[in-house]
Amino acid sequence: MPVSLCGSWDMVSNVNFEGYMTALGISLYTRKIALKLKHRKVIEQVGDRYVVKTLSTIRNYTFSFRANEEFQEFTKGLDDRHCKSLVAWEGNKLVCIQKGEKKNRGWAHWIEDDKLHLELHCEDQVCKQVFKRVV
Ligand code: ECB
């Protein structure tokens, strides 16, 4: 049984978010603003139904899904694309594959050293984010 990712988490590091946003075609202007943001993740789970909220001072993104079930994702307020997304546990990692216009797009979440880790990838870019639990 994988450990629970549930709770509220505050960003402590964000490596190569710039490269990830560039791969998604985000404009220089928006990237400059987005790079200054500290994200908060709020993860809720009931059975195999998840809600993942990414919160910031200027924009929020909420995404809900059932594990092992493909669904339509619209990345509203991010790069505004439609993807066919599938989230599944692979060992201790919650892994999402986002099929769509962008190649090799997806992310993985896992817990390591009491921190929430997130690796976001798109094309040849990998962004690594770490979050600490909000107390
Ligand atoms: C919503 C907080 C970030 C807001 C950034 C604002 C403008 C940047 C516009 C586009 C950037 C494109 C995508 C990166 C944004 C957030 C990265 C995490 C979103 C995500 O897919 O989280 C997953 C995994 O936790 C769950 O949806």
Side-chain angles (χ1 to χ4, degrees):
M1 182 76 174
V3 295
S4 172
L5 307 178
C6 292
S8 295
W9 305 86
D10 278 345
M11 178 179 270
V12 291
S13 63
N14 190 6
V15 175
N16 197 35
F17 191 44
E18 168 77 6
Y20 175 73
M21 288 192 291
T22 302
L24 286 173
I26 305 301
S27 74
L28 177 66
Y29 177 77
T30 303
R31 295 201 310 269
K32 293 293 168 220
I33 296 167
L35 271 180
K36 296 191 203 296
L37 302 173
K38 293 273 184 249
H39 307 183
R40 173 173 285 187
K41 287 283 174 195
V42 179
I43 303 179
E44 295 157 6
Q45 181 186 357
V46 179
D48 57 0
R49 176 121 215 131
Y50 292 79
V51 181
V52 178
K53 295 175 191 161
T54 307
L55 309 175
S56 76
T57 48
I58 60 158
R59 210 165 280 179
N60 300 324
Y61 180 66
T62 298
F63 167 68
S64 68
F65 55 91
R66 214 177 275 284
N68 307 308
E69 204 173 89
E70 195 172 65
F71 59 93
Q72 283 292 133
E73 178 177 11
F74 178 55
T75 59
K76 186 176 163 57
L78 302 180
D79 61 320
D80 292 312
R81 283 193 178 85
H82 294 275
C83 304
K84 270 191 181 165
S85 300
L86 176 66
V87 185
W89 284 100
E90 291 182 14
N92 64 343
K93 292 190 177 180
L94 189 66
V95 176
C96 179
I97 296 166
Q98 294 168 306
K99 281 192 280 180
E101 185 188 337
K102 288 291 171 181
K103 299 296 166 213
N104 189 38
R105 181 173 186 175
W107 52 258
H109 266 299
W110 69 96
I111 305 267
E112 199 177 305
D113 300 329
D114 295 326
K115 301 276 198 311
L116 177 72
H117 290 247
L118 170 62
E119 201 171 84
L120 296 151
H121 55 89
C122 180
E123 296 178 334
D124 62 345
Q125 297 296 312
V126 179
C127 168
K128 182 68 204 296
Q129 302 182 340
V130 180
F131 301 79
K132 69 172 182 351
R133 210 179 263 285
V134 178
V135 285

